[in-house]
Structures are given as C-alpha cells and as structure tokens.
Amino acid sequence: MSTELVIAAVGVGGTLMASALAFTAQVTQLRSQHKWSRQEAEASWQREREARLFERRRNASTEFLSTYERYYAVFFPYVWDLDRTIPPPDYDTFDELSERVSTVEIYGSIAVADRAHELVSSLSKWTNIRADEREGAEKALHEARKRFTAAARADLGVSQ
C-alpha cells in the first residue's frame, strides 16, 4: 500500500473516529441531562408531597383543637352549674370531636393521636364529674390540652 493511501485511510478513519467520539459524548451528555431532569422532577414531587402532608397535619390538629375549644365553651356553664338548660352529654355528644380525632390519627404521629384521645377522654370525664371534683378535673383537662398542643407542635416541627 502506498504511503499516500495509508495517510488517506488514516485521515478518513480519524474523521470517523472523531465523529464517533463526538456522537458518544453527545449521547452521554443527553443521558446525564435526562437523569438530572428526572431526579429534579422526583425531588420536586417529594417537596410538594411533604408540603401537602404538613398542611394536612396542621389542618387536622387545628381543626381538632378548634372543635375541642367549642365543646369546652359549650359545656363550661353546664359543668360549673351556671346553666342547667344545657343537656347533659350522652353517647353521641362527642361524635364531631371523635371525627376530628380520626383525622389526627390519619395525618399525625402516634404521639399526637394519643394526646388527642387523652384530651377527648379528659373532656368527657370533666363533663360528668361530681361537684367536689370539678377543679381537679378541669386542671387535668387543661394539662391534657397542653400536652396535645406540645405534641402537635413537635409533630409539625413548629417552635413553642
């Protein structure tokens, strides 16, 4: 083979080699960009999911506490004999509050759900207490509320 023919073949081969390397580099770059895009989309989806969960946890806790406060206000005159026209609590009195506890159980931690059950139990006991035990029961009720609030704040990562 002549020297000129060898040089021409190397020149063509070099061009083909350079083209193949450029193509491989492009494919590698596109794969890298696609992988980064997919990872970024997954990270974005995860952030959105966490934000939705935080919002649902917050709503579950605040709605539960709001409902509790309403029950407390309604039963305060009854418990302290200020207004006996309020009917005594019966088996379905706490239905709405129990529904709110269920939502706390779904979205909150076990600790928050336990504190919510404790608060409902304390409220129920407080509404059915003897006159000589009112003060102690009310104190226990306020302590249960503080424990629920602390647990909900901890669950949400919110400072006191």
Side-chain angles (χ1 to χ4, degrees):
M1 193 185 276
S2 75
T3 310
E4 293 170 353
L5 194 57
V6 170
I7 292 173
V10 170
V12 170
T15 304
L16 288 173
M17 178 71 93
S19 294
L21 286 173
F23 178 74
T24 303
Q26 267 185 326
V27 168
T28 303
Q29 183 180 10
L30 288 173
R31 281 185 179 167
S32 177
Q33 286 175 346
H34 178 69
K35 183 178 178 182
W36 181 82
S37 253
R38 191 176 68 236
Q39 288 172 339
E40 188 61 32
E42 288 173 3
S44 177
W45 177 84
Q46 185 64 26
R47 284 190 301 273
E48 289 171 9
R49 182 182 178 279
E50 288 172 8
R52 283 191 309 271
L53 180 58
F54 176 85
E55 193 62 26
R56 288 181 178 146
R57 279 183 173 173
R58 186 183 66 77
N59 286 341
S61 293
T62 56
E63 287 173 6
F64 169 77
L65 200 53
S66 175
T67 303
Y68 160 79
E69 295 293 343
R70 195 175 72 244
Y71 274 77
Y72 178 81
V74 165
F75 284 111
F76 185 86
Y78 170 80
V79 170
W80 289 97
D81 290 329
L82 303 173
D83 184 359
R84 279 299 175 174
T85 63
I86 298 170
D90 59 12
Y91 68 92
D92 62 348
T93 298
F94 296 100
D95 283 354
E96 183 183 358
L97 196 56
S98 295
E99 289 173 18
R100 301 287 186 223
V101 170
S102 295
T103 306
V104 169
E105 286 176 325
I106 292 169
Y107 293 110
S109 67
I110 292 172
V112 174
D114 288 348
R115 297 299 78 77
H117 281 286
E118 177 187 358
L119 186 53
V120 171
S121 177
S122 292
L123 181 66
S124 178
K125 288 176 187 175
W126 176 70
T127 60
N128 292 301
I129 203 74
R130 292 189 335 237
D132 61 330
E133 297 175 341
R134 285 184 201 143
E135 285 183 34
E138 187 153 354
K139 183 178 178 182
L141 181 61
H142 291 308
E143 290 300 316
R145 185 191 183 285
K146 285 179 188 176
R147 284 189 295 276
F148 171 78
T149 303
R153 286 179 178 273
D155 195 31
L156 294 170
V158 178
S159 63
Q160 303 272 347

